[in-house]
Each structure stands twice: as structure tokens, then as C-alpha cells.
Amino acid sequence: MRTADLELAARCRAGDADAFEELYRQHARRLFSLVVRMVGSAEDAEDLVQEVFLQAHRKLAGFRGESTLGTWLYRLTMNHCLDHLRGRQAKMSRATESLDDEDAAEPMAPAPAVPPAISRMDLEKAIAALPPGSRAAFLLHDVEGFEHREIAAILGVSEGTSKSQVHKARLKLRAILRR
């Protein structure tokens, strides 16, 4: 697999458009699915995945084959998503500062009746409510099926941190979904 990845990367670096299309076809669908879960919007995910592949094209010279191309792309994707979420969080913080200054009391809505079964929509909302680091580790492990050592490589954290983030995500999801 690593030999095939190195050959594909070399072809991409040499300007072979068919090779880059092959790389895209091999990975775009899974990356898109992951990005949608990370950012919560298909429109944003389309843009972010395009940006990831543009970034991959520029950075392929740095691919040394120490991991698979897929793992390398997941790492680029997760870093890009986390940067996007941090930027969005900063914008939201600035936008809500003026609202916080008004000292207006928020109206209380009655609590809705909770259905006994958890819907897919509830689960997606709960996942979106996780902190970005926990969400990333949870999605990579429990949804995408990566092992903790692979997640550590993708996210640039230790294997123990990956395990901890997945555990915290599961606890938080249980708490959110019980509400």
C-alpha cells in the first residue's frame, strides 16, 4: 500500500492530472462525510473539501510516505476543519459580545417531550455539540473506524489523548442524548 501511495504521490507531484483525480476519487467521499459531521453543513463541507484538496496539491511535495496517503489527507482535513471551527467560534464570540452587554433576560421555552428513541438527527446534533477535538477523535474512531494510533497520527496527538478524547466524547454524548 505504501509503495502504491508513494507512486501515486510522485505522479501527482509530476503534474499527472489523472493521478490527482485518482487520489480525489479514492478519498473525497469519506473526507466529505467526515467534514459534514465536523462542521454541520454540507455547503461548508463542499468548500472545505475543495480547499483540502487544493492544499494537498500544494503540499504533496512534503508527503514522505511515513503514513498512508489516506492518513495524511485525514490529517490535513482535520487540521483544516479545526481551523475553520476556531475561526467560526471567534466570529460568533465577537457577534454575541454586543448581545451580552444588553442584560436582556432570555425567554424560557417549555421543555419538549423527549421521544424514547434517539433519532439520527438528535445524534447528529449531539455530535455537533461536542468540542472540536473530542468530535474529531470520536468521528475518526467510532464512525470512520480508525485505530487510536492512526488517530494520534492524523490529529497530531498522543495515543492516550486520542483514547481520552473518544471516552470524553462518549460520556458527553450520553449526557446530551439523555436530556
Side-chain angles (χ1 to χ4, degrees), residues 99-174:
L99 295 174
D100 291 340
D101 294 339
E102 293 177 14
D103 292 330
E106 289 187 35
M108 294 295 288
V114 178
I118 297 168
S119 72
R120 181 180 176 97
M121 183 181 277
D122 292 335
L123 183 58
E124 292 290 336
K125 285 181 183 175
I127 290 171
L130 294 172
S134 295
R135 184 181 334 146
F138 174 80
L139 289 171
L140 289 170
H141 187 269
D142 287 8
V143 177
E144 297 294 327
F146 282 97
E147 295 177 17
H148 288 291
R149 65 178 168 71
E150 295 170 306
I151 296 167
I154 291 168
L155 298 179
V157 298
S158 71
E159 197 170 325
T161 299
S162 171
K163 291 176 183 178
S164 173
Q165 292 283 27
V166 170
H167 178 70
K168 289 176 185 177
R170 289 176 182 160
L171 291 176
K172 186 157 180 113
L173 284 173
R174 283 187 198 114

Side-chain angles (χ1 to χ4, degrees), residues 109-117 122 177-179:
V114 178
D122 292 335
L177 293 171
R178 281 190 188 124
R179 289 185 213 147

Side-chain angles (χ1 to χ4, degrees), residues 20 51-60 72-73 76:
F20 197 77
E51 292 169 12
V52 164
F53 276 98
L54 287 172
Q55 186 178 33
H57 190 268
R58 287 191 305 268
K59 292 187 172 193
L60 263 168
W72 183 79
L73 283 169
L76 282 179

Side-chain angles (χ1 to χ4, degrees), residues 5 8 12 18-28 53 56-57 60 69-70 72-73:
D5 282 349
L8 183 59
C12 289
D18 291 336
F20 197 77
E21 185 176 339
E22 181 181 335
L23 177 71
Y24 180 85
R25 287 181 189 219
Q26 284 178 10
H27 300 283
F53 276 98
H57 190 268
L60 263 168
L69 259 174
W72 183 79
L73 283 169

Side-chain angles (χ1 to χ4, degrees), residues 38-116:
M38 281 297 294
V39 301
S41 161
E43 289 175 2
D44 287 347
E46 287 175 8
D47 293 341
L48 290 170
V49 169
Q50 285 181 3
E51 292 169 12
V52 164
F53 276 98
L54 287 172
Q55 186 178 33
H57 190 268
R58 287 191 305 268
K59 292 187 172 193
L60 263 168
F63 177 72
R64 296 181 303 274
E66 294 168 359
S67 63
T68 66
L69 259 174
T71 299
W72 183 79
L73 283 169
Y74 267 87
R75 183 171 187 151
L76 282 179
T77 302
M78 292 309 302
N79 287 338
H80 201 64
C81 285
L82 292 171
D83 288 345
H84 173 78
L85 290 171
R86 283 185 203 108
R88 187 166 72 184
Q89 195 171 24
K91 286 178 194 170
M92 289 297 290
S93 176
R94 286 191 303 271
T96 58
E97 282 175 0
S98 63
L99 295 174
D100 291 340
D101 294 339
E102 293 177 14
D103 292 330
E106 289 187 35
M108 294 295 288
V114 178

